Amino acid sequence: MAFPLSSAVISHKLSFNVSIAPPTRRSNLKPTHFIFCFNGKDPERSGRSRVYCLPKNNHLKELKDQHGTLTNSYISTRGHTNKLQSLIAVILVFVQISSPLPLVGWDVLPISPANAVLYSPDTKVPRTGELALRRAIPANTNMKTIQDSLEDILYLLRIPQRKPYGTMEGNVKKALKIATDEKDSILASIPTDLREKGSTLYASLIDGKNGLQALLACIKDKDPDKVSVGLASSLDTIAELELLQAPGLSFLLPEQYQRYPRLTGRGTVELTIEKGDGSTFSPEAGGEPRKTAKIQVIIDGYSAPLTAGNFSKLVIDEAYNGAKLRSTDQAVLSDNGLDKSNGYSVPLEIKPSGQFEPLYRTKLDVQDGELPTLPLSVYGAVAMAHSEVNEEYSSPYQFFFYLYDKRNAGLGGLSFDEGEFSVFGYATAGRDILSQIKTGDVIRSAKLIEGQDRLVLPDEK
């Protein structure tokens, strides 16, 4: 099974040679040439910027050794060395304007506009499967506005030392105003047979023990721990309300995909994992070592109905019972299922964030700012491997848990494989088991414990 977890990164080379002469004969500084190499191919410090300071009488020989076939630009100026920074900035601006397209064999600057989303520390990506799943629910616009206002507090809580409690208070008051002003609209979005449950959840959101009023009090007390707990509870209630508002798909599937199984909402799969070598999993708090361990996966048909539908059908057909697992640094994979023929070759299915429906057979251009609704850059993300025949399709059987590690991602927290695979869910319970799974361990059983009523199977006749 072809399974490239790391996309090729094309690099280019850009170098500058800057000569600075001393301002006067009385200066104690000797003529010096600076060579700046960005992303130079240094075997010891690959991918980092380097600065060489060479005596004048040695610089030509060094340049020939370092830059054999490249054309070197020399810029000489008179002035104090504290002008060096300004000079470099002018050079960089000039080169970026005059040469917007990369030359063959050259490296552009380490952080180009096209890579900005990967390297920006301000990129707001979900840090947990729960957060990603909540954002994926296609609910009432008023509820989404309330959710966005509260989720902003998640980022404000990360600010060390003096936290902006005033901004947090404003966010909660905004959410409360929308919730009270738009009560009728919020409840009207819930099907009639579920409206009583929705009314109970709505009342809990406003005035419940861990509702918005209680959250406001925690913020006024400036207790970050209580704010965090209250915020999590309020967001859980919001997710429950939104799920009531979204009983099915909010879009029509393309005609050519009507013959595939599809999941028209959420489902829950429970996997029981057994050690292949007879060893045990680490004990839970206060418990004993375990021969088997369970992982619960929430699968999302709202964002990936075909992929989640195919996986659900395989689960209820017991296709994964007895499947062997393989562990790598980046993922835990099931076997490739070459001996099984009951899966569908589903097209690559990725729903861009903010869009109404998924794209099919198309990868996202993450470097250009496209982000998926269900990101891969979450520890425990569940996705299908690529088809061996065509990467525009997913494997009909092989899936994997992605072991996201921020140390191997861009500064924005995005995996370099983001937008490449059909992500359809997240491990929400038993995530600690993933790091303990080794090659040769076995899926003893896989069960669809919730969502079978939302699974639509095609007429195979």
Side-chain angles (χ1 to χ4, degrees), residues 31-42:
T32 304
H33 286 259
F34 293 82
I35 303 173
F36 294 83
C37 299
F38 298 94
N39 282 358
K41 297 184 181 297
D42 186 327

Side-chain angles (χ1 to χ4, degrees), residues 158-179:
R158 295 180 191 169
I159 298 175
Q161 299 176 348
R162 299 184 62 181
K163 301 186 185 298
Y165 289 106
T167 304
M168 297 181 198
E169 183 177 346
N171 283 19
V172 177
K173 286 182 176 179
K174 175 185 175 182
L176 266 170
K177 186 176 189 312
I178 296 172

Side-chain angles (χ1 to χ4, degrees), residues 30 106 146 159 182 188 273 276 296 347 373 388 401 410 421 434 444:
K30 295 182 180 181
W106 287 46
I146 294 171
I159 298 175
E182 302 296 335
I273 312 297
Q296 278 198 3
T373 299
E388 288 187 327
F401 292 98
F421 295 91
L434 296 176
R444 182 53 52 209

Side-chain angles (χ1 to χ4, degrees), residues 272-306:
T272 301
I273 312 297
E274 183 178 71
K275 282 291 183 182
D277 59 2
S279 61
T280 59
F281 291 99
S282 298
E284 295 178 329
E288 298 291 331
R290 298 164 289 169
K291 292 184 178 180
T292 63
K294 296 183 184 297
I295 300 173
Q296 278 198 3
V297 176
I298 303 296
I299 54 179
D300 184 39
Y302 295 126
S303 301
L306 301 183

Side-chain angles (χ1 to χ4, degrees), residues 249 261-268 299-310 312 448 450-456:
L249 297 184
R262 58 188 181 273
L263 187 67
T264 61
R266 289 279 165 84
T268 303
I299 54 179
D300 184 39
Y302 295 126
S303 301
L306 301 183
T307 310
N310 179 58
S312 298
L448 184 65
E450 185 179 346
Q452 193 160 346
D453 57 324
R454 303 180 188 96
L455 178 60
V456 179

Side-chain angles (χ1 to χ4, degrees), residues 11 38 52-53 68 76 87 134 137 180 209 211 227 262 265 267 297 319 330 347 351 380-381 395 399 406 408 412:
S11 59
F38 298 94
Y52 297 99
C53 303
S76 296
L87 178 59
R134 184 167 61 241
I137 304 171
T180 52
K209 180 180 179 181
V227 172
R262 58 188 181 273
V297 176
Q330 290 181 289
K351 184 180 178 184
S395 165
F399 75 97
K406 65 181 179 181
N408 299 327

Side-chain angles (χ1 to χ4, degrees), residues 14-263:
L14 181 64
S15 62
F16 297 99
N17 303 317
V18 181
S19 174
I20 294 184
T24 67
R25 293 180 180 272
R26 293 190 298 270
S27 173
N28 292 325
L29 297 175
K30 295 182 180 181
T32 304
H33 286 259
F34 293 82
I35 303 173
F36 294 83
C37 299
F38 298 94
N39 282 358
K41 297 184 181 297
D42 186 327
E44 295 182 358
R45 300 176 65 181
S46 175
R48 299 184 182 179
S49 302
R50 293 174 289 149
V51 179
Y52 297 99
C53 303
L54 306 175
K56 185 175 181 180
N57 58 357
N58 292 332
H59 85 278
L60 287 176
K61 181 178 183 303
E62 183 67 20
L63 287 176
K64 290 178 182 179
D65 295 338
Q66 295 287 337
H67 300 282
T69 60
L70 297 177
T71 301
N72 299 301
S73 299
Y74 294 89
I75 300 175
S76 296
T77 184
R78 293 181 181 275
H80 297 285
T81 54
N82 60 6
K83 293 184 179 180
L84 177 59
Q85 185 175 4
S86 298
L87 178 59
I88 295 172
V90 171
I91 293 172
L92 299 184
V93 171
F94 174 78
V95 172
Q96 187 170 0
I97 294 174
S98 61
S99 302
L101 296 177
L103 300 176
V104 176
W106 287 46
D107 277 355
V108 295
L109 296 179
I111 305 177
S112 67
N115 292 328
V117 70
L118 287 181
Y119 290 93
S120 170
D122 297 324
T123 304
K124 288 186 176 181
V125 294
R127 305 293 175 175
T128 66
E130 290 83 357
L131 176 54
L133 289 166
R134 184 167 61 241
R135 290 185 179 178
I137 304 171
N140 177 283
T141 54
N142 290 316
M143 288 302 300
K144 282 301 180 186
T145 303
I146 294 171
Q147 177 183 323
D148 291 343
S149 183
L150 295 182
E151 284 183 351
D152 282 343
I153 300 176
L154 291 173
Y155 297 97
L156 296 176
L157 282 171
R158 295 180 191 169
I159 298 175
Q161 299 176 348
R162 299 184 62 181
K163 301 186 185 298
Y165 289 106
T167 304
M168 297 181 198
E169 183 177 346
N171 283 19
V172 177
K173 286 182 176 179
K174 175 185 175 182
L176 266 170
K177 186 176 189 312
I178 296 172
T180 52
D181 291 350
E182 302 296 335
K183 176 181 178 180
D184 293 341
S185 171
I186 291 171
L187 295 179
S189 300
I190 300 174
T192 305
D193 58 328
L194 299 174
R195 198 160 296 168
E196 183 178 351
K197 181 178 180 180
S199 297
T200 302
L201 286 171
Y202 174 85
S204 175
L205 175 64
I206 302 298
D207 296 311
K209 180 180 179 181
N210 293 311
L212 295 179
Q213 294 287 5
L215 177 59
L216 200 57
C218 293
I219 291 174
K220 290 180 179 179
D221 290 340
K222 298 184 178 181
D223 187 328
D225 293 332
K226 289 183 178 179
V227 172
S228 181
V229 171
L231 179 62
S233 179
S234 293
L235 287 170
D236 286 344
T237 303
I238 287 172
E240 289 186 69
L241 269 169
E242 289 179 340
L243 286 171
L244 294 181
Q245 294 173 334
L249 297 184
S250 58
F251 55 88
L252 295 176
L253 288 171
E255 182 64 29
Q256 64 267 35
Y257 301 135
Q258 293 290 333
R259 64 182 181 86
Y260 291 94
R262 58 188 181 273
L263 187 67

